[in-house]
Amino acid sequence: MNPDRRNRQVHDALDQWLLEGQIDNAAHSRIGELYPLTRWDWRSLGRWFLTFGAISLATGLLLFLREHLTFTLAKLAISLSVLTLGLFVVGRWLPRKGLKMLGSTAELLGGFSLIGVSIAAGMIYSDGSGNWPALLLIDFLVLLELSYALGNVLLLTLCSVLFFVWFGGCSGYVSGWGAYWFGMNYPLRFLGVSLALVAAGGVHLRCEAELPARYSGFAKVWISYGLFVAEMSLWLLSLFGNYDLIDRPWHLADDGELLVFNLLWALVSLGVLAVGLRLRFGMLVGYGVTFLIIQLYTLFFTQLAETLGWLASLLMAGGGSLALVIWLESQRQTRRVAISDA
């Protein structure tokens, strides 16, 4: 039997069992992952394209308005407020016509428009403090509530971006340092916050069977965002150490400190990989493998490349990458054959 056809039959049976209450959502998802319908996760890819399209459209509209229309700040704030309300109304109306994804995208555009409203209002009522991150904090809190009220995972993704920019802005620009993302002033702060984010995702995942279906995917956003922030923090800590003072020469961290953070980073990535393999959670496996590879390449280029010479180093790095890709592809083909023969 054709593997795709067989997998479709399995998914149809799983859907029927779920409707009849014979299995829960967690079992449905776990078993379904073993029988992929396509080689590519088109639904996930579609979400990314929708997100990119929403950002591009919002940016284009703002540029068009700026270039062809003359607004005072007050008129701009009012116009954006009307646009925000309209987008959220359309976002609620489209799913009734069977266009759920487009409805979610309209609400995402509404989220971007709401950020524009807060920025315009902030410029109108500015007291000269320059505390722009406070506006993003307000947007984050409002959109977080809307994400759950509307059950929109795209809005929750926007919230994660807002939180990163707000938190970095508070501890970066406002502190007077200005290094921001690469400084992440300071990495340990982000590492601590990431633990709370992953914990929130874990609670979501544990309660997924009891939560309404509209919250499907929320756990992955929390966990993915928390892991990304943690891994990026550990990457910076492994390179520069814990530069916890603005006037400290961060590039002079001693070898012992860098070794500790490198070991911690490796343990975290290995732990994420182990948990992902144990739970058959592909996202965790992807994070673990990706950042282990990044760490190996980072160590290679920071510790060995200068000694070996750049020509030899690039040849070794490129050859290693090709060998890794070939091995991963062979493993994927082996798994596909095993599934089709089962």
Side-chain angles (χ1 to χ4, degrees), residues 71-93:
F71 279 120
T72 63
L73 286 175
K75 290 181 179 179
L76 179 61
I78 294 173
S79 300
L80 288 174
S81 298
V82 173
L83 177 62
T84 301
L85 180 61
L87 285 170
F88 278 109
V89 170
V90 170
R92 290 289 86 193
W93 174 75

Side-chain angles (χ1 to χ4, degrees), residues 84-253:
T84 301
L85 180 61
L87 285 170
F88 278 109
V89 170
V90 170
R92 290 289 86 193
W93 174 75
L94 285 173
R96 300 174 188 174
K97 302 297 181 180
L99 302 171
K100 183 178 179 180
M101 186 62 73
L102 287 178
S104 298
T105 305
E107 291 170 353
L108 176 63
L109 286 171
F112 281 106
S113 183
L114 180 63
I115 296 172
V117 173
S118 69
I119 294 175
M123 295 173 68
I124 293 172
Y125 299 104
S126 174
D127 59 2
S129 66
N131 187 19
W132 59 266
L135 298 175
L136 300 184
L137 176 60
I138 296 173
D139 292 332
F140 166 73
L141 294 175
V142 172
L143 290 176
L144 184 62
E145 292 184 12
L146 285 174
S147 299
Y148 280 88
L150 303 175
N152 191 329
V153 70
L154 295 179
L155 275 180
L156 185 63
T157 304
L158 177 59
C159 287
S160 68
V161 176
L162 281 175
F163 181 84
F164 184 85
V165 178
W166 165 73
F167 192 68
C170 278
S171 58
Y173 279 126
V174 172
S175 69
W177 191 14
Y180 200 43
W181 281 294
F182 286 103
M184 291 177 69
N185 183 350
Y186 312 104
L188 276 181
R189 294 185 183 185
F190 281 83
L191 183 59
V193 168
S194 69
L195 298 178
L197 295 171
V198 173
V203 171
H204 259 282
L205 198 61
R206 188 177 184 83
C207 302
E208 199 168 59
E210 290 77 23
L211 291 173
R214 61 180 181 169
Y215 295 132
S216 175
F218 276 44
K220 286 187 176 181
V221 173
W222 284 108
I223 295 174
S224 177
Y225 177 54
L227 286 177
F228 174 77
V229 173
E231 295 281 8
M232 291 299 295
S233 301
L234 288 168
W235 189 8
L236 293 170
L237 287 165
S238 72
L239 285 170
F240 309 121
N242 179 34
Y243 39 100
D244 55 348
L245 296 174
I246 294 175
D247 56 354
R248 178 184 174 185
W250 50 264
H251 57 285
L252 297 180

Side-chain angles (χ1 to χ4, degrees), residues 10-23 28:
V10 171
H11 276 267
D12 290 341
L14 289 173
D15 293 340
Q16 185 64 34
W17 293 344
L18 183 63
L19 290 174
E20 295 174 355
Q22 299 183 39
I23 60 175
H28 180 276

